[in-house]
Amino acid sequence: MITRRYIIATTLLLATALAAPARAEDKPAEIRIGTQKGGFFPAVRQRQTLENAFKPLGIEIKWIDFQFGPPLLEAINVGSVDFGYVGDAPPIFAQAGGARIRYVAAVKSDGTSQAIIVPKDSPIKTLADLKGKRVAFGKGSSAHNLLVAALEKAGLAWTDITPAPLAPADATAAFVKGSVDAWSIWDPYFALAELKENARVIAFDKDVHQPNAFYIAGADFVEKYPSLVAKLNTTFASEGVWADSHHEEVAKAQAEATGVDIEAIRRFVDRSNYRTVPVDADVIRSQQAVADRFARVGLIPKPVNVSDIVWKWTPGS
């Protein structure tokens, strides 16, 4: 039986619930963004665009620098970075290793900011000439993918070369000393080798495959804060439009931030684009080709399906 006491108690509970302030949407105190040496990120940081976009939400932006992609993605996997920018190969290795990451946006490269280079007087003229040679590359990096794709195009097996997996700083020293015969490398290291060592290109990215770069976020971060991921994408897309028409500002900011020769940076910037786009069917198809290539030559333990970890971003939504 419903008593008068029950009705009064229920009414009071309902009134209390209605009067209670709405719970604020859960959000992080800061977003940790991983970047690499290069790109337009020094200019974005200098312009404070992200900081200004997220400050009204009470969210700070923290920038964390990495030498190249694999350690950046490992940081995302373990939760010490939320969002970052890498080339095409690192996410394949990360996915094959079970990392909890998501592709959230892409940059379709023109394919001229990464190449396989040789010393100016090298007898190596074509990709086929790499047979039996010692070739440097960053293990798990986009340069790793470029080298595998180039060897396939030349009809060579991975076992036809002597792989020299080296981080960029070590590979630079090895290239200068002549302890490697060729080097698969990205800008600005590529531009520096051209300007300082008169390095000669035997193949650009575009000559052997369709390269892409990616914005990657932690799976938990995407699931918990999808609106923030969309805002990050939108902000970087806007900055990319600005950067494409402000090369000198981008170059100066990067030179100031890294200490790299401004002429090398200008060369790098002038052959780059920064247009951020959704991970569409064409991008997925190209990235799946990278994954399948790695599986064929045994660089990953098992095939992976790239689309399994793609987060769909609709600009303007």
Side-chain angles (χ1 to χ4, degrees), residues 10-22:
T10 302
T11 302
L12 287 173
L13 285 172
L14 180 59
T16 300
L18 291 173

Side-chain angles (χ1 to χ4, degrees), residues 74 121 142 157 219 229 316:
E74 178 55 27
D121 298 325
S142 57
V229 175

Side-chain angles (χ1 to χ4, degrees), residues 52-63:
N52 292 334
F54 284 87
K55 188 174 182 179
L57 301 178
I59 300 173
E60 300 292 326
I61 298 295
K62 180 179 181 181
W63 299 89

Side-chain angles (χ1 to χ4, degrees), residues 11-293:
T11 302
L12 287 173
L13 285 172
L14 180 59
T16 300
L18 291 173
R23 183 182 177 184
E25 181 183 351
D26 186 28
K27 62 179 182 290
E30 67 178 10
I31 297 175
R32 300 158 298 177
I33 298 177
T35 61
Q36 299 181 55
K37 189 177 186 178
F40 72 147
F41 297 101
V44 175
R45 293 166 75 165
Q46 193 176 82
R47 282 160 53 80
Q48 295 277 298
T49 312
L50 258 72
E51 287 81 353
N52 292 334
F54 284 87
K55 188 174 182 179
L57 301 178
I59 300 173
E60 300 292 326
I61 298 295
K62 180 179 181 181
W63 299 89
I64 304 173
D65 296 321
F66 293 84
Q67 191 173 21
F68 63 132
L72 192 164
L73 287 191
E74 178 55 27
I76 291 179
N77 180 46
V78 301
S80 56
V81 169
D82 304 305
F83 188 97
Y85 181 80
V86 298
D88 48 18
I92 302 296
F93 285 101
Q95 183 181 6
R100 286 186 51 74
I101 61 170
R102 296 288 183 267
Y103 294 95
V104 298
V107 174
K108 296 182 179 181
S109 171
D110 293 333
T112 56
S113 61
Q114 183 167 256
I116 297 175
I117 58 176
V118 296
K120 61 178 179 178
D121 298 325
S122 171
I124 299 171
K125 305 296 183 185
T126 68
L127 291 172
D129 295 335
L130 291 175
K131 186 172 183 178
K133 300 299 191 291
R134 182 176 173 82
V135 186
F137 62 96
K139 186 176 182 179
S141 71
S142 57
H144 195 165
N145 176 45
L146 168 57
L147 181 56
V148 174
L151 293 176
E152 277 198 345
K153 182 165 185 178
L156 299 178
W158 186 250
T159 53
D160 284 330
I161 67 166
T162 300
L166 296 169
D170 296 328
T172 298
F175 188 79
V176 172
K177 292 177 182 177
S179 54
V180 295
D181 301 297
W183 185 15
S184 181
I185 187 59
W186 58 89
D187 275 324
Y189 306 100
F190 167 29
L192 282 168
E194 287 183 302
L195 291 173
K196 306 262 184 210
E197 307 300 326
N198 292 313
R200 178 164 46 83
V201 173
I202 61 169
F204 285 102
D205 247 340
K206 66 178 183 177
D207 297 327
V208 297
H209 78 119
Q210 172 55 54
N212 298 293
F214 296 94
Y215 287 99
I216 304 289
D220 293 339
F221 187 82
V222 171
E223 291 166 11
K224 196 170 184 180
Y225 308 115
S227 64
L228 297 184
V229 175
K231 189 174 182 66
L232 285 164
N233 285 350
T234 299
T235 306
F236 276 118
S238 176
E239 286 296 273
V241 171
W242 171 84
D244 272 339
S245 58
H246 292 80
H247 281 194
E248 185 61 18
E249 290 95 324
V250 172
K252 285 180 178 177
Q254 188 177 334
E256 290 172 8
T258 64
V260 174
D261 183 280
I262 185 66
E263 291 307 317
I265 296 296
R266 285 190 178 114
R267 179 174 293 208
F268 167 26
V269 170
D270 285 344
R271 60 189 176 199
S272 299
N273 81 69
Y274 306 104
R275 295 182 293 276
T276 302
V277 298
V279 183
D280 60 21
D282 286 341
V283 172
I284 292 172
R285 191 178 305 111
S286 175
Q287 188 69 349
Q288 188 62 52
V290 178
D292 294 344
R293 186 180 302 126

